[in-house]
Amino acid sequence: MTTWRWAANLKWLFTELDFDARFEAAAAAGFAGVEFPSPYGRSPGVLRRRLRDAGLTQVLINTPMGEPGTPTRSGLACIPGREGEFRTGVERGLEYATGLDCGLLHVVGGIVPDEVSRDRAFARYVTNIGWAAERARGTGIRLVLEAQNKRDCPGFVLESQEQAAAVAEAVGDEQVGLLLDFYHLQIDQGDLISTYRRLQSRVRHLQLADAPGRHEPGTGEIGWRALLRAVADSGYRGWIGCEYAPAGETVAGLDWMRRVEEVAA
C-alpha cells in the first residue's frame, strides 16, 4: 500500500493567510511537507524555525528568478550573457536548500529572449545545468528540471518532458532528475499515464493541478484515479507537490485528497 506524501505549495495554497501562518495551517490540514519557489525574502534560520514548529519537511525550492514582467521572470539558465547571475543564484539556492534540509533544488530554465535563437539558448541552458550539477555534487541536494507549458509560459526553453529528461540524463542523472508537473504535461502533451511510465526512472518529484483551470484535482479534465493508480503501481515513493489555485477556500477544497487516498489501497 502506498502512503501518499503530499506537500503543500505555500505560494498557491492557504493564501487566505499571511505567509508565515501558512506553515501551521498546512500541518493542521494534514500535510507533512511544504514547497514554495522563493524562500529568499526570509533568512534560512527563520524558515527553519517555522518548519520545526509546525513539524514539516521542506521538500523543494527554486533557484532565484527575476522580477515579474522582466525577461528573467522564469529563470536565468538559458540566457546568454547572464552566466554570473545564474551561478550566483545556484550558489544561493544550494545555501538555502542546505539550511532548510531541503533535498531538491529546482533549477528554473527561463524564457528564450527574443533576440536569441532557440538553439543558442538551449546550448547555454545545457552548459549551465552541467555547471550546476557539478557544483551540487557532494552536497546531498539533487537538482530537478521542469518543462512548463507554452500556454502559461510561452517561449520557455524546455519544449517537452522528454527534452527535460534528456538533459538530466546528459549531465548526470544521479545528480539531476525530472520534476514532472501533471498540469503542464496535460496542457502541452496529454497522454499522462504513458508519458509518466516512459519517464518514471528520471522522475524525482511530482506536482499536480487539474487542467485547464489549474485548480484542485476533480475540477477539470484529468482522470486522477487512473493516473494516481499508475503512479502507485510504479513504486514512486517521492513527494507530490500540490501546486494549484484552490477554486474556493483551501481547506474546504482538500476533499479531493481524501477521495484519492484509497486509490493505492
Side-chain angles (χ1 to χ4, degrees), residues 77 86 105 107 122-137 141-146 158 162-178 202 204:
F86 169 78
L105 177 63
V107 184
F122 183 69
R124 170 46 50 196
Y125 174 74
V126 174
T127 299
N128 278 339
I129 297 301
W131 179 89
E134 286 301 316
R135 179 62 189 85
R137 202 172 303 280
I141 298 163
R142 279 185 163 177
L143 309 181
V144 288
L145 314 178
E146 178 188 30
L158 291 171
E162 289 81 2
Q163 189 182 39
V167 173
E169 181 179 8
V171 301
D173 62 337
E174 287 303 310
Q175 190 62 53
V176 185
L178 184 64
R202 309 286 179 205
R204 302 291 177 263

Side-chain angles (χ1 to χ4, degrees), residues 19-39:
F19 183 78
D20 289 338
R22 296 176 196 175
F23 294 84
E24 290 289 350
F31 288 98
V34 294
E35 59 179 37
F36 44 88
S38 182

Side-chain angles (χ1 to χ4, degrees), residues 226-247:
L227 177 57
L228 290 174
R229 165 60 70 185
V231 171
D233 289 346
S234 76
Y236 179 76
R237 295 294 182 269
W239 292 90
I240 302 178
C242 300
E243 191 187 55
Y244 62 81

